Amino acid sequence: MTMSALGEPCVLLKLGEIVLKGKNRELFERRLVGNIRAALKDFDLKIDVRQRHGVIAIFLPAGTGVEVADQVAQRVTEVPGLVWIHRAWRVAKDPDTVVKAAIELIKDRDEVKRGATFAVRSRRRDKRFPLKSNELDRLVGGHINDVYGLPVNLKRPELTVFVEVDRDEVFVFTDGLPGQGGLPVGSSGRALVLMSGGIDSPVAAYRMMRRGLHVDFLHFSGIPFTTSESIYKAYALVRRLDRFQGKSRLWVVPFGKAQQSIRNSGQDRLAVIAQRRLMLKTAEEVAHRIRAGALITGDALGQVSSQTLQNITAQDHAVELPILRPLIGWDKTEIMAEARRIGTLEISELPDEDCCTLLAPKRAETRAKIEDLKLIEKRLDAEELAVQLADSIQEYTL
Ligand SMILES: Nc1ncnc2c1ncn2[C@@H]1O[C@H](COP(=O)(O)OP(=O)(O)OP(=O)(O)O)[C@@H](O)[C@H]1O
């Protein structure tokens, strides 16, 4: 007996925080379904994504192989808003078929070979099904016990078989893949990430996508005084992060000349903060043009001299838009672990000639005074410069 004789492979998705939403839940779910469809476009298959009670089911065309179903499940793990992704079998709604499917499902499992403990957990979303969920547990569990001789352990089973009775079918599956959690991208609006080629800002971008923001990326390059390497790096990072949201745009500001003017202002110790404020002012101008409601940076309190409380305050004063800093309370090791998990660390660790090295002073100010910064900015005509810089951006669409 093969599994396909029993049913079709499909993917069952468990929603995250959306389930806590009240009246707006429908809106969040619809957005999530749209994001899932967009993420699956590359498969070039007629994939049917359906909202069911509390879950989303992905139905694949008849005859789709298990490998493709696995790839679909894997791809969906990258879509924020889901907590579990289960490769499941969709079978006919009768108890005998469910039993056969469950037996077949675990046939090759390691746990079965070594006689591990198991449990069956059933749920009935359709109350007209002839068996109640505990009766279904006992029926399926009894057969598994007969066929494989596995002992039941309801509290801490090593293998769990899930059975979910839905409106038109029954889903049978075992453990799943963890999802990203969070909210569907786009449900919180749009923001602009200031993205260097470093480790922190890509993680900051990811964390805010996960809270429902669709983000654009803004990179300041030292051009014409540096090579284009940092742009390639930013582009590679955006490509990686695009898997979580889709439709990403990278904007690049040629920043070298502006940095030179800052350096020429002679305020060596304040140069880094003055530069960061000019970046923020430029970002704010760009944000207005693309209708982004916030800026995002990878700052973590105290990590480097530009990230002391006083210097962060001086940066907040440069713009009116809120600056979101999701990593503010994170340790470097935590940021690195997250960067590794989301696949940006290996790109960030590639060497490049960051624009900021152009301005590294011998001793950076840790307590920048806003009045001193304003004096520098007056001389630079920073507001006008920010507009000019925003005019000079180049767009790199993926
Ligand atoms: N060249 C740049 N282009 C765009 N944003 C930048 C650039 N340099 C710095 N930033 C922004 O300023 C934040 C602080 O930068 P800084 O270099 O002080 O810290 P960092 O901890 O090294 O950050 P990262 O690892 O993101 O480079 C960055 O997280 C990023 O949001």
Side-chain angles (χ1 to χ4, degrees):
M1 182 170 51
T2 65
M3 201 71 210
S4 55
L6 291 169
E8 296 291 340
C10 68
V11 184
L12 205 61
L13 313 174
K14 297 296 169 89
L15 312 187
E17 221 175 288
I18 293 183
V19 296
L20 304 175
K21 300 281 166 209
K23 283 197 220 89
N24 289 336
R25 178 168 168 174
E26 179 63 25
L27 272 166
F28 282 86
E29 279 195 37
R30 242 184 287 146
R31 189 176 287 276
L32 180 56
V33 167
N35 292 352
I36 292 165
R37 288 201 179 110
L40 295 178
K41 272 222 176 81
D42 285 348
F43 279 92
D44 220 6
L45 282 177
K46 235 176 129 0
I47 295 175
D48 189 7
V49 185
R50 298 245 183 112
Q51 273 170 268
R52 289 290 164 87
H53 277 296
V55 296
I56 293 173
I58 301 180
F59 298 131
L60 302 160
T64 303
V66 176
E67 296 76 27
V68 173
D70 285 344
Q71 285 164 13
V72 166
Q74 196 64 47
R75 178 69 184 94
V76 178
T77 62
E78 295 172 313
V79 178
L82 299 166
V83 283
W84 285 107
I85 291 90
H86 297 278
R87 261 279 292 103
W89 288 95
R90 174 195 195 191
V91 302
K93 261 177 97 172
D94 84 279
D96 278 354
T97 313
V98 172
V99 168
K100 283 186 193 143
I103 301 277
E104 184 64 23
L105 178 72
I106 61 172
K107 188 179 65 183
D108 298 324
R109 294 284 297 226
D110 221 42
E111 292 89 341
V112 172
K113 290 180 192 144
R114 59 183 167 83
T117 57
F118 84 104
V120 179
R121 306 227 194 277
S122 305
R123 260 178 94 169
R124 214 166 45 135
R125 281 190 283 274
D126 175 4
K127 303 290 176 209
R128 292 165 307 172
F129 193 71
L131 298 179
K132 289 195 187 124
S133 45
N134 57 349
E135 291 168 340
L136 201 51
D137 283 349
R138 254 179 275 135
L139 176 76
V140 177
H143 278 87
I144 290 178
N145 186 261
D146 286 350
V147 174
Y148 299 118
L150 302 185
V152 174
N153 180 340
L154 293 181
K155 273 212 180 112
R156 302 190 71 192
E158 289 163 272
L159 174 67
T160 307
V161 174
F162 297 93
V163 176
E164 296 194 357
V165 180
D166 222 310
R167 200 183 56 204
D168 303 322
E169 64 262 303
V170 178
F171 299 106
V172 185
F173 52 94
T174 55
D175 43 1
L177 303 165
Q180 302 295 324
L183 296 170
V185 169
S187 58
S188 302
R190 179 184 290 278
L192 181 64
V193 183
L194 283 83
M195 204 180 67
S196 66
I199 293 170
D200 303 351
S201 37
V203 176
Y206 165 78
R207 297 301 296 193
M208 295 322 297
M209 285 176 189
R210 243 181 60 145
R211 294 309 299 165
L213 285 173
H214 190 280
V215 306
D216 273 37
F217 299 86
L218 185 66
H219 175 71
F220 293 84
S221 110
I223 277 181
F225 303 118
T226 59
T227 61
S228 306
E229 257 171 30
S230 79
I231 302 176
Y232 301 143
K233 234 170 121 176
Y235 187 81
L237 287 165
V238 173
R239 275 193 74 124
R240 174 68 199 118
L241 290 166
D242 186 62
R243 297 189 65 80
F244 300 109
Q245 68 163 10
K247 293 208 179 96
S248 303
R249 291 183 297 186
L250 167 65
W251 306 93
V252 176
V253 183
F255 201 53
K257 288 197 178 130
Q259 288 179 301
Q260 197 177 40
S261 322
I262 292 173
R263 194 170 39 203
N264 292 345
S265 73
Q267 294 279 352
D268 205 31
R269 291 188 63 180
L270 283 174
V272 172
I273 301 300
Q275 152 173 296
R276 196 57 42 79
R277 276 171 60 106
L278 184 58
M279 282 184 182
L280 289 164
K281 284 176 194 288
T282 307
E284 183 173 51
E285 180 64 30
V286 175
H288 288 319
R289 296 181 190 184
I290 62 167
R291 296 204 168 80
L295 306 177
I296 300 169
T297 70
D299 295 308
L301 188 61
Q303 197 193 81
V304 289
S305 63
S306 57
Q307 296 167 8
T308 61
L309 197 52
Q310 207 153 344
N311 285 351
I312 283 179
T313 307
Q315 292 171 53
D316 278 336
H317 278 264
V319 289
E320 279 175 18
L321 277 181
I323 303 174
L324 306 179
R325 299 183 174 91
L327 308 185
I328 197 72
W330 288 39
D331 286 1
K332 193 74 187 181
T333 50
E334 292 168 328
I335 299 172
M336 287 180 71
E338 184 73 336
R340 191 172 294 117
R341 189 182 73 77
I342 64 173
T344 55
L345 186 66
E346 59 187 37
I347 306 170
S348 295
E349 281 182 339
L350 294 171
D352 74 348
E353 202 184 359
D354 187 67
C355 73
C356 298
T357 52
L358 293 176
L359 274 187
K362 280 189 266 336
R363 249 187 94 212
E365 180 60 68
T366 53
R367 279 183 274 171
K369 291 202 186 61
I370 292 170
E371 310 84 75
D372 297 341
L373 289 160
K374 285 200 166 149
L375 276 177
I376 301 177
E377 286 166 1
K378 204 165 165 208
R379 258 178 269 140
L380 284 177
D381 197 358
E383 304 301 324
E384 178 52 32
L385 186 53
V387 173
Q388 284 170 12
L389 286 166
D391 285 341
S392 71
I393 52 174
Q394 285 167 312
E395 178 181 348
Y396 292 73
T397 314
L398 294 196

